[in-house]
Amino acid sequence: MTIYTNTMEVDTIDTNAPAHAGTKRKRTGEPKFYAVRVGRDPGIYSSWSECLEQVKGHKNATCE
């Protein structure tokens, strides 16, 4: 669809574009994980609370 104002073309709108076109969507279906590089027991954990148990109180602990 083309919009005209005073016989000048102003904007072109694609009426066939899906409603969500151009909008950000939250990723779904991908499980979250937390990695402990330096801590009590380095590894990959499925919850933040499990990860926190491994790094809490450990000097120079790193996790993502």
Side-chain angles (χ1 to χ4, degrees), residues 18-39:
H20 64 274
T23 60
K24 291 184 178 181
R25 290 178 284 164
K26 192 173 187 177
R27 291 189 217 180
T28 58
E30 296 178 15
K32 288 186 176 184
F33 62 90
Y34 304 91
V36 175
R37 184 179 301 180
V38 178

Side-chain angles (χ1 to χ4, degrees), residues 1-29:
M1 171 189 294
T2 303
I3 301 171
Y4 293 94
T5 304
N6 296 334
T7 67
M8 292 179 59
E9 185 176 330
V10 176
D11 196 9
T12 302
I13 300 171
D14 184 4
T15 57
N16 296 324
H20 64 274
T23 60
K24 291 184 178 181
R25 290 178 284 164
K26 192 173 187 177
R27 291 189 217 180
T28 58

Side-chain angles (χ1 to χ4, degrees), residues 22-56:
T23 60
K24 291 184 178 181
R25 290 178 284 164
K26 192 173 187 177
R27 291 189 217 180
T28 58
E30 296 178 15
K32 288 186 176 184
F33 62 90
Y34 304 91
V36 175
R37 184 179 301 180
V38 178
R40 290 190 180 105
D41 186 18
I44 298 175
Y45 298 91
S46 58
S47 72
W48 177 248
S49 60
E50 289 177 324
C51 178
L52 195 57
E53 288 175 16
Q54 303 307 316
V55 297
K56 196 179 224 182

